[in-house]
Amino acid sequence: MKKILVIRFSALGDIVMTVPVVHDLAMQYPDLDITMLSREMARPLFERMPKNVHSISADLKGRHKGLLGLCRLWRDAHLSDFDYIADFHGVLRTWWLRTEGCLHRKKVAKIDKGRKGKMALTRQKNKVFVQQATSFERYAKVLEQLGFPIKQQFVKLDYSSFCETQKPNNETWVGIAPFAKHKAKVYPMEKMELVIKALSERKNTTVFLFGGGTAENKQIESLCGKYNNVRPAKSQQGLNGELALMSQLDVMLTMDSANMHLASLVGTPVVSIWGGTHPYAGFKGWNQKESDCVQLDLPCRPCSVYGNKPCFRGDYACMNGIMPEFIIEKISPYLK
C-alpha cells in the first residue's frame, strides 16, 4: 500500500475541518494508507474513520518542540516511510517537515492559504467582497496535487456508541456554545443569556451549554443555576462524549468556533453567529447553510480573517447590534 502523511496542527477548529476531506480520501482510495499528524486533543476525530486512516500525535510543547524536536518527530513517527506528504497547514515547522521529505525523495504538496484574497476581503477600505475558497477546497487541492483528486461526499461521523443519555422522542434538545477565543467572535453574554432564558422556558426543551476552561465553566454553572432545563454539556468520555451529545441535538447555536465545526461533523444543524469574521473567508462549517449564519451587513465587516484583531471602531457593533430575538427566530425552524 502507498502511504500518505497529512499534516495539520493549529487550533482544534482547523483540524476538525480536515475530517471530511480525509474521510473522502479514505473512502475513495481504500488501498491508500493514510496517517494524520496532528495534536493529541484531536485524536478522537480520526478514531471513527475508515480502517485505512491512522493518527499520530505531535508534542509540540514538549518532546517535539523546536528544531531538535522536529528531528525527534521525524524519527519517532517514522516519517521516512511515507510516499507522500500533504501539508494542510503551511507554517515554518511544516515547511521543515516538507523539506526533509523532499530530501528523502518524497512527493510533497502544501496548502495555498489565499492570503491575498483574504487581505482584500478584510481591509478597512476598498474591500473586495468575494467568497474565498473554503478550507475544505484548499485541503482537497493539496491532495489533487499529489495525484489524489476527491469528490466531496462526506455526510457525518457516528458517535452513537458514546451516548451517555438518550433523548426522549417528545423532547427538544438545543446546544449552545457561547464562547470563542477572540472578543470579535463572541456574542455579548448578557444578550446570549436572554436567548438561553427564552429557550429554557419552552415546554419539553433542554438547553446544553458547551465550553471548557475554568472561567467558562464558572459562567456555565451560573447560568445552569439561574434557569430551569439548562445543563452543562459535560461528559466523562471527553470529546467523544460531547460529539455523541451533539449528534442528538435538534440544533446547535455557536460562534465562529471549533464547536461549529464539531457539530457539523455529526450532521447536526448549526446556527452560527458571526461578528468580526465572515463566512466569505472560507471557514463556514461543513454543509452549513448561508441562511443559518447570523450576521449584520456592516461596511467594516469582516475586519479580520480569524477574529484576532480588536474592533477599530471600538464598539463591536457587529456583535452588539444583533438582537436576541433575531437569533431565536433563526433557531425556531429546528425546534419541535
Side-chain angles (χ1 to χ4, degrees):
M1 296 178 70
K2 291 290 186 179
K3 301 179 68 174
I4 182 172
L5 178 74
V6 180
I7 309 172
R8 179 75 220 207
F9 302 127
S10 192
L12 180 59
D14 297 310
I15 301 171
V16 174
M17 294 182 80
T18 69
V19 172
V21 179
V22 174
H23 190 279
D24 283 339
L25 177 67
M27 294 297 291
Q28 294 166 35
Y29 296 90
D31 293 331
L32 183 65
D33 189 89
I34 305 163
T35 298
M36 188 72 198
L37 174 59
S38 188
R39 296 178 181 270
E40 177 62 28
M41 64 178 177
R43 183 184 291 275
L45 299 174
F46 303 99
E47 292 176 342
R48 311 301 295 174
M49 291 283 217
K51 293 182 179 179
N52 56 328
V53 177
H54 321 284
S55 66
I56 301 173
S57 298
D59 181 11
L60 300 177
K61 294 183 178 180
R63 178 171 174 78
H64 302 138
K65 182 180 180 180
L67 180 57
L68 289 177
L70 290 175
C71 294
R72 293 191 195 100
L73 176 59
W74 184 271
R75 294 193 302 268
D76 292 350
H78 304 285
L79 301 189
S80 59
D81 294 343
F82 291 90
D83 303 289
Y84 307 92
I85 297 178
D87 180 2
F88 281 10
H89 198 167
V91 292
L92 187 59
R93 61 168 60 98
T94 61
W95 170 85
W96 187 93
L97 294 171
R98 285 199 324 270
T99 302
E100 192 70 14
C102 289
L103 293 174
H104 283 77
R105 300 183 180 276
K106 312 300 179 184
K107 188 171 183 179
V108 304
K110 75 177 183 69
I111 189 172
D112 175 8
K113 294 185 176 181
R115 286 192 175 93
K116 186 176 180 180
K118 291 175 181 176
M119 287 178 64
L121 175 67
T122 56
R123 62 195 180 198
Q124 291 185 23
K125 297 181 180 179
N126 302 317
K127 289 181 182 293
V128 181
F129 200 66
V130 176
Q131 174 69 59
Q132 303 298 301
T134 67
S135 291
F136 309 109
E137 292 168 337
R138 296 185 188 280
Y139 295 154
K141 190 68 175 178
V142 176
L143 299 177
E144 184 179 337
Q145 293 173 24
L146 294 175
F148 302 103
I150 61 171
K151 295 180 180 179
Q152 296 190 339
Q153 300 173 332
F154 175 81
V155 179
K156 63 180 179 179
L157 296 179
D158 180 14
Y159 285 84
S160 57
S161 60
F162 294 97
C163 288
E164 296 171 353
T165 56
Q166 293 290 335
K167 182 182 73 170
N169 291 330
N170 65 332
E171 285 195 15
T172 297
W173 283 9
V174 179
I176 299 181
F179 308 107
K181 185 176 181 180
H182 304 294
K183 184 176 180 179
K185 298 168 70 172
V186 179
Y187 189 57
M189 184 54 73
E190 63 272 14
K191 295 186 177 183
M192 180 61 80
E193 187 170 343
L194 295 176
V195 176
I196 294 171
K197 180 177 183 294
L199 292 172
S200 70
E201 292 171 349
R202 293 185 79 255
K203 185 178 180 180
N204 296 332
T205 298
T206 302
V207 178
F208 293 91
L209 301 182
F210 290 79
T214 304
E216 292 180 3
N217 285 332
K218 284 184 178 180
Q219 291 187 66
I220 289 175
E221 289 175 8
S222 174
L223 290 167
C224 292
K226 290 174 69 173
Y227 304 107
N228 294 326
N229 307 319
V230 178
R231 296 169 53 185
K234 292 183 178 179
S235 171
Q236 296 181 347
Q237 301 181 82
L239 183 57
N240 284 325
E242 288 192 18
L243 285 164
L245 174 58
M246 286 183 189
S247 69
Q248 298 187 78
L249 300 176
D250 293 279
V251 63
M252 181 83 168
L253 175 65
T254 75
M255 309 297 106
D256 170 18
S257 65
N259 280 302
M260 171 180 67
H261 298 293
L262 289 169
S264 299
L265 287 190
V266 293
T268 297
V270 177
V271 172
S272 52
I273 304 174
W274 299 74
T277 57
H278 196 284
Y280 271 21
F283 298 107
K284 183 162 61 71
W286 179 261
N287 276 344
Q288 289 180 17
K289 296 187 291 186
E290 191 80 27
S291 58
D292 284 339
C293 296
V294 180
Q295 53 188 334
L296 296 180
D297 185 13
L298 298 175
C300 56
R301 288 191 61 240
C303 61
S304 171
V305 175
Y306 306 109
N308 54 342
K309 295 181 180 179
C311 175
F312 68 88
R313 292 170 41 139
D315 59 356
Y316 290 93
C318 55
M319 280 296 191
N320 288 313
I322 299 174
M323 294 295 103
E325 294 80 9
F326 183 51
I327 296 175
I328 295 170
E329 181 182 333
K330 284 284 188 180
I331 297 174
S332 294
Y334 298 105
L335 304 179
K336 294 178 182 177

